[in-house]
Amino acid sequence: MDQHPIVVARRQKDKTLRLVCPHCGWHHSHGSGGEERIHTHRIAHCADTDLPQHKRGKSLGYHIVVLDEVDMNETELRGLFAEMDEIAAAARADPLHVPEDNQIKFRALQKRRHPELDKQQWLDLFAVWRVHDAAKLAAARDAIVQRAHAIARANPGSPFVCVCGEEIDPSDPAMEALHRPHVFVAGLDRVKRISWRVDR
């Protein structure tokens, strides 16, 4: 998501989108495509010489949020997303939670904080929040993987072992997805064992 972050733009002359590029720091202008939507995506116009070394030669862009059509400023947008982050984090603690539930929760939050938004506007904002949320989850997962590798380097004779008994590479997304249900089932078994002890 570092290559396609979220940036707030202003609409000029009812169509041109003006923003400060999060990649190079220069002002960029983009056409609106004839739409007055809150959310759109564009490819950045940066020259390589204006970019940090680690971003040169890459396909860069950004998710643009245009708040001119709604009664909301950037601070309020960040506040809305921060509260939704807390709601989503609490929801994910429920084993029965599915990602589709987030839209229902976002809609309830939006109606409470910004009831004036029409259907397309709140759906656009939810799409932006999903981008924001995916970036946060990816960053958290990367941090976990880095810690796992640090532990592995410090303990070269101790491989990572799933509760099923198989040695796994925690940096492999396919391997992590395959063994995630094992950890979940092990957690349920632990809850059942605790409940059995309490009942007795």
Side-chain angles (χ1 to χ4, degrees):
M1 286 308 303
D2 181 54
Q3 294 179 216
H4 294 265
I6 297 169
V7 60
V8 174
R10 305 298 301 180
R11 191 181 301 279
Q12 295 183 331
K13 297 181 180 180
D14 297 329
K15 53 182 180 180
T16 303
L17 304 179
R18 184 77 168 167
L19 56 89
V20 176
C21 177
H23 300 296
C24 69
W26 289 85
H27 282 86
H28 290 184
S29 295
H30 294 272
S32 65
E35 295 183 324
E36 295 186 356
R37 297 278 295 273
I38 292 178
H39 174 226
T40 187
H41 182 274
R42 292 290 185 273
I43 299 301
H45 298 160
C46 310
D48 263 6
T49 52
D50 294 329
L51 292 168
Q53 191 66 40
H54 70 282
K55 289 190 175 184
R56 294 180 182 179
K58 295 182 178 179
S59 176
L60 304 176
Y62 25 65
H63 293 269
I64 301 175
V65 181
V66 186
L67 300 177
D68 294 357
E69 287 82 20
V70 295
D71 186 19
M72 185 187 305
N73 57 40
E74 187 171 353
T75 299
E76 292 171 328
L77 174 68
R78 296 188 185 281
L80 178 71
F81 282 8
E83 185 169 354
M84 184 60 200
D85 288 346
E86 295 178 359
I87 293 171
R92 289 188 180 108
D94 182 352
L96 299 180
H97 171 74
V98 292
E100 289 74 14
D101 291 343
N102 289 331
Q103 180 171 322
I104 299 172
K105 296 179 183 301
F106 186 88
R107 172 60 167 157
L109 174 62
Q110 168 265 314
K111 288 175 69 175
R112 176 164 56 82
R113 294 187 62 151
H114 298 279
E116 73 282 356
L117 299 181
D118 64 30
K119 181 177 180 179
Q120 188 59 64
Q121 289 170 339
W122 77 258
L123 284 174
D124 279 353
L125 281 182
F126 176 66
V128 178
W129 176 81
R130 288 185 63 191
V131 172
H132 158 84
D133 183 56
K136 287 191 64 175
L137 293 177
R141 183 185 181 281
D142 288 346
I144 292 172
V145 170
Q146 289 173 9
R147 288 198 298 271
H149 282 306
I151 294 171
R153 287 192 296 270
N155 302 275
S158 304
F160 289 95
V161 180
C162 176
V163 293
C164 72
E166 182 179 349
E167 294 183 10
I168 65 173
D169 177 4
S171 65
D172 182 350
M175 186 71 73
E176 189 269 342
L178 177 65
H179 289 270
R180 188 186 307 124
H182 303 167
V183 178
F184 174 66
V185 171
L188 288 181
D189 288 343
R190 182 173 182 273
V191 170
K192 290 177 181 177
R193 289 196 300 271
I194 292 173
S195 299
W196 180 79
R197 293 193 194 105
V198 172
D199 291 340
R200 288 176 64 87

